[in-house]
Amino acid sequence: MRTTNLIFLLLSMLAPSVTAQEGPFSLVPVPASVQAGEGQLPITPTFAVAVTGNTEVRLQHAVEIFTEHLHKQTGMFPVDIGLTDVSKSNLVIRTEAISKDVQEPGEDESYALEVTSTRATLSAANTLGAMRGLETFLQLVEVTPEGFAVPAVTIRDQPRFAWRGLMIDVSRHFIPLDVLKRNLDAMAAVKMNVFHWHLSDDQGFRVESKRFPNLQQMGSDGLYYTQEEVRELIAYARDRGIRVVPEFDMPGHTTAWFVGYPELGSKPGTYSIARTWGIFDTAMDPTQERTYRFLDEFIGEMAKLFPDAYFHIGGDEVNGKQWDANQKIQAFMRLHSLKNDQDLQAYFNTRVQELVRRHGKTMVGWDEILRPDLPKTIVVQSWRGQGSLAEASKQGYRGLLSYGYYLDLMWPAARHYAVDPLGDGASDLTAEQRSRILGGEACMWSEYASPENIDARIWPRAAVIAERLWSAPSVQDVPSMYARTEIMRRRLDLLGLTHDSVYPVMLRRIAGSDDSGPVRVLADVVEPVKDYAREELATTPATSSTPLNRVVDTARPESATAREFSEMVDQFVAGKADDATKNRMRALLTIWRDNQTKLQPLATKSFLLQEVTPISQNLSALAAGGLQAMDFVSKGLAASDDWTKELLALAEQAKKPQAQLLLMMVPPIEKLVQAASAR
Amino acid sequence: MRTTNLIFLLLSMLAPSVTAQEGPFSLVPVPASVQAGEGQLPITPTFAVAVTGNTEVRLQHAVEIFTEHLHKQTGMFPVDIGLTDVSKSNLVIRTEAISKDVQEPGEDESYALEVTSTRATLSAANTLGAMRGLETFLQLVEVTPEGFAVPAVTIRDQPRFAWRGLMIDVSRHFIPLDVLKRNLDAMAAVKMNVFHWHLSDDQGFRVESKRFPNLQQMGSDGLYYTQEEVRELIAYARDRGIRVVPEFDMPGHTTAWFVGYPELGSKPGTYSIARTWGIFDTAMDPTQERTYRFLDEFIGEMAKLFPDAYFHIGGDEVNGKQWDANQKIQAFMRLHSLKNDQDLQAYFNTRVQELVRRHGKTMVGWDEILRPDLPKTIVVQSWRGQGSLAEASKQGYRGLLSYGYYLDLMWPAARHYAVDPLGDGASDLTAEQRSRILGGEACMWSEYASPENIDARIWPRAAVIAERLWSAPSVQDVPSMYARTEIMRRRLDLLGLTHDSVYPVMLRRIAGSDDSGPVRVLADVVEPVKDYAREELATTPATSSTPLNRVVDTARPESATAREFSEMVDQFVAGKADDATKNRMRALLTIWRDNQTKLQPLATKSFLLQEVTPISQNLSALAAGGLQAMDFVSKGLAASDDWTKELLALAEQAKKPQAQLLLMMVPPIEKLVQAASAR
């Protein structure tokens, strides 16, 4: 018998079953209006879909994807997708019009879904709304004593924001097409509608240019998307109601461009692909005309490849050092009365904006591009905050929020969930100013994400950002969010996302053994350090070839075990824990207390476990203290000062990051200790 | 809520981790010769490979695949695949010659691998041998206290049989290209070298014919491979040292052909794709010339598409009913003195063999094609047994064994492992006759396999067949086989096979809940019924649209839990179980005894659980009895006759298949009960 299986079994038995709230069904995002009906619509192997009104190919694809996902959810094989015969169908899709040739922000995504015990009717203005409604329908499918079924319900729904995006950085680590595709499936499942593709940066230029082939040939280590693959991804996204906005970051973050085209840079000489990250000195030379001739041709080529009306030019984090050091550039600035680097970048942006516009696109850029000399048509994406966004909006610019939505910062879902594009610094805007805030984007920067673990970095947390951008601002119930996210997590498993399935695989690699149970016990209660602490705590700076196989790369951004334990502790110290809760607390504490003994034999064999041994020791010692604390409290005894002092000192020490990890049990156990000493 | 006692008990039972035998390392298949050395070769992120001797593209691809798999195993990113600089490399590949343009059976696959603490050297006659050696190298990579490393070792290795195949039936259920690709990865990992692609049958014609497009357009429900996809798969296989042998089954199993080309059939009229399975009456008309004109053109087209020198024409299971009922055919038989249907099929085979030969291929077919009038060049694939194979060999025909290797029959790995192509009826062959037995093929017929669960049906059991066909016949240690297979199972996880990861996903679907623990407890101790019992026990015949989402589709072909429990019981009744073993037995029995109570609330909600409730009840009752039996034995007491009789009656009843499942705990618990009553 494998111990791993027993421990797995045990851990799964300890999980409380989740019950979701926010309306009668566990939908993500929560729809605008849901009314439960009576009865249920059976979903059988002969389930048939009819389409009336518009029958554009895109809608037919949407129905095919729907049946494929219905198959994945239920295991039933759809033999027949009747697209016309309403009388024999179980789901009728009625749309009024086809969708636009190129999907636009603000295109109607509303839908109405009415399910009775005999038929479901999905009505929408166009294909996009039908797509959103089909995803809602899939979320309603449940197993019942009689078979699969959808409960009777009437739903009316539309998004709060028109722009609900996910940005993926494919430069720091290349992310293959199939990984992107499954992430698009997940985006569609939570009604996100923009894939922002961060295609170039210092560490890699990731798309084929036929006009300037050295870009990918010299700037990508061979890891780039061909134009055919780009078209394939765009078509894949379109079939899921998702726009694809390319980003080519400039004039900074451009080292990879200069490997093949050093003449674009502000410093003479040769360049090589960056292997580390941060803010580099490299920047395009904004003073020479050949830069703009190059960009004119390049943007022209890419504008044809990417049909979306928006074109992201990055524009962030230029430190100006190469400009300051270049006499020719300094002379240019004096000649044109450009007082500082910001002025010079504004000059560059104005020139680039003109090129982007000439090729039929609207320019998008990060906060830094915002300067009054740019036309009001551009869109500003803010990593600085709602205040910055509000400022842009007051000046008449449209904007997107990404501040608060950086998935790579390892925040808990609730923290992302609390960030509203119209909150904080944007809460005092007029209706007109508010209307210029188009939505937001979750951002996945990939310094520490690989094709292996990126799903687990994005999901399920991106789903709560999707909900913030779709659902009414009043949707705020955090326990409901967590419960529904848990259900969403499982749905994404069925779609083929690897956020869950990779966890045991990576743990076994760390353990160097099938018997990875003790590693899992530890990994379940730690989280990677937050914000940019991983950089700060690194003994040697990471590079693109640093293996991402450590516990910090495996542990989830948010420990559900720790969160649930913490909630139980709160109940316990408030004297409100029932026996079942107390038993579960003791069970968990016992597992943790005993875990170091079990981990030790593995740690002697695996270098990947050695760095977490101090954390494991802290966990064991603190859990032992936690059990004692529960005894004190239960017996109504007060702990001694020495005991308390010793444990609090241990907790204080255990709070410090180790191996770039945080031990999430410390604060609740501290609470237990304090409760014990207060008696 | 679960008792903490159980948790303590479970955690106290640390099983010894598996230790493999058959040489010092856990390799699958076991190499011909392995000598452990001193020290180890570190595998670091700067690990570099150099290639000397032949540098054909295929070898370069093999090295790229190797580094990709090394990355998957270790999480390290290979930046640099230096292909020439020996002095800076950690692994040097020396090959003497390039491989053949089209891979041939019997092409040299031998290799020698020497690993020291400073360098690994892989020597092979050609690229194929290098590929096999690279897989061995990957299997040697392990985690150590210092990092990843390969232990110092000297290995000389070559296969016992030249033809080591896996057949996948893509007709009963269509299997998409990506699923096939990952199975090719797994095949390469265990050194299999033939992918036998069963492309047509009554239920679907799965490949694009440009000459006869109705074949796929009318005979596949749109589920077929384009010729471009076929070429893509063949190239993928070639890069892994795998030949692709297509099978177009004829003259029977041809219903799908006749949908588009009814004139080929022996019965006038129209045909539709078969939705059930078994042996149908449909067969090509072997008496009309247009059949051969069609086949001539068709085989000509496919012979160009598939470069392999072998071409499989099926030839199995013709019941002759359409021939018997057709007056024209009967007249033809009389005219040509064909006495019976077998004679007529032999006539057909002779004609087809001539077409296959004319298009430059060697014909392969199932047992039934063996008739003395066919030339000795053909190859016979035997589903009947070694006797049938030996008979062919004695007549001068070459042969392949598939009897005993049918993965769809749900046999335990040990049963497949015991089947040797040169065993049983083939054990008395002369050396020359033995040389005509080329090897064998594992077969995966897909009546009950879908893209979702097919990996779990094939792996890891196919690995033991791969070992039987590669390793020396003396490699027979079953415990070692199971231990090494377990390690292989995990390696296949890292390659992206879904045999493991799909299990919890399917269990949660059955449970209709994240809380699928009790379903897992049950599913872990049942197995699908064996051989063709699933057909026999079906209340209504299955069709291609029958959902494959039940417990019988999810449960593994072989229950490791049951096997291990059974071994513990054997120790226990022999009085040789130590305390740890006894504790583990009690823990398992306790989990099983209590499981029905936990399953019941789920079963009331999910139709997929209702059919297994009687099994769950039996499990609980028998486990309770097993615990009592252990008490009797431990206390040296004899159980009463009534108690014994009641439990044995229960066991007898529990042995009967339910929901097409076998409860695998019954025999060991029976043993416990008998041991208790014998006191």
Side-chain angles (χ1 to χ4, degrees), chain B residues 6 64 82 94 150 190 208 391 438-439 520 600 649:
Chain B
L6 170 60
E64 283 164 21
R94 302 181 195 280
V150 168
V190 295
E208 177 192 22
E391 185 51 39
L438 303 178
R520 185 181 182 136
Q600 194 48 40

Side-chain angles (χ1 to χ4, degrees), chain B residues 481-549:
Chain B
M481 176 276 283
Y482 274 116
R484 288 178 297 108
T485 301
E486 195 59 26
I487 291 165
M488 198 68 218
R489 199 158 71 87
R490 296 312 183 189
R491 288 200 189 105
L492 297 179
D493 278 343
L494 287 163
L495 286 183
L497 275 285
T498 64
H499 57 136
D500 258 10
S501 61
V502 76
Y503 190 58
V505 174
M506 291 182 77
L507 290 175
R508 282 195 290 267
R509 179 199 287 148
I510 291 167
S513 159
D514 196 13
D515 183 18
S516 59
V519 187
R520 185 181 182 136
V521 168
L522 182 64
D524 273 355
V525 295
V526 293
E527 293 179 7
V529 289
K530 308 299 158 184
D531 300 316
Y532 298 100
R534 185 159 178 182
E535 303 289 348
E536 293 149 16
L537 294 167
T539 45
T540 51
T543 74
S544 7
S545 56
T546 299
L548 298 179
N549 56 7

Side-chain angles (χ1 to χ4, degrees), chain A residues 438-511:
Chain A
L438 303 178
E441 287 186 0
C443 290
M444 183 65 228
W445 299 101
S446 66
E447 282 88 346
Y448 300 103
S450 68
E452 184 176 50
N453 74 356
I454 195 166
D455 288 16
R457 293 312 186 216
I458 298 175
W459 306 102
R461 290 180 306 145
V464 314
I465 300 172
E467 174 157 296
R468 176 59 52 238
L469 297 171
W470 176 283
S471 302
S474 59
V475 174
Q476 293 284 358
D477 184 329
V478 171
S480 161
M481 176 276 282
Y482 275 115
R484 287 178 298 108
T485 301
E486 195 58 24
I487 291 165
M488 199 68 217
R489 198 157 72 88
R490 296 313 184 187
R491 288 201 190 103
L492 297 179
D493 278 341
L494 287 164
L495 285 183
L497 277 284
T498 64
H499 57 135
D500 258 11
S501 60
V502 76
Y503 190 57
V505 174
M506 292 181 75
L507 291 174
R508 281 195 291 267
R509 178 198 288 148
I510 291 167

Side-chain angles (χ1 to χ4, degrees), chain A residues 1-3 5-10 12-15 45 71-77 79 143-148 173 450 452 486 490 493-494 501 505 508-509 511-512 514 544-549 580 583-584 587 590-591 598 604-608 610, chain B residues 1-2 4 7-8 10-11 13-15 45 71-77 79 143-148 173 450 452 486 489-490 493-494 501 505 508-509 511-512 514 517 520-521 544-549 560-561 564 584 588 591 604-608 610:
Chain A
M1 186 61 208
R2 289 182 301 282
T3 313
N5 285 352
L6 282 174
I7 290 180
F8 175 81
L9 205 58
L10 169 64
S12 68
M13 284 174 162
L14 285 169
H71 161 62
K72 287 185 176 174
Q73 272 185 246
T74 63
M76 299 186 315
F77 302 95
V79 172
V143 75
T144 77
E146 291 79 37
F148 290 102
H173 284 98
S450 68
E452 184 176 50
E486 195 58 24
R490 296 313 184 187
D493 278 341
L494 287 164
S501 60
V505 174
R508 281 195 291 267
R509 178 198 288 148
D514 195 13
S544 12
S545 56
T546 299
L548 298 179
N549 56 7
N583 284 342
R584 265 175 54 208
T590 305
I591 289 171
K598 298 186 171 66
T604 59
K605 289 186 201 154
S606 167
F607 74 106
L608 292 166
Q610 284 163 3
Chain B
M1 190 49 215
R2 295 81 183 174
T4 47
I7 291 150
F8 293 152
L10 283 172
L11 287 169
M13 303 175 310
L14 262 178
H71 161 62
K72 285 185 178 174
Q73 272 186 244
T74 63
M76 299 187 317
F77 301 96
V79 171
V143 75
T144 77
E146 291 80 36
F148 290 101
H173 283 101
S450 68
E452 184 176 53
E486 195 59 26
R489 199 158 71 87
R490 296 312 183 189
D493 278 343
L494 287 163
S501 61
V505 174
R508 282 195 290 267
R509 179 199 287 148
D514 196 13
R520 185 181 182 136
V521 168
S544 7
S545 56
T546 299
L548 298 179
N549 56 7
T561 308
E564 289 155 13
R584 274 162 55 203
L588 285 168
I591 290 172
T604 60
K605 288 187 201 152
S606 167
F607 74 106
L608 291 166
Q610 284 162 4

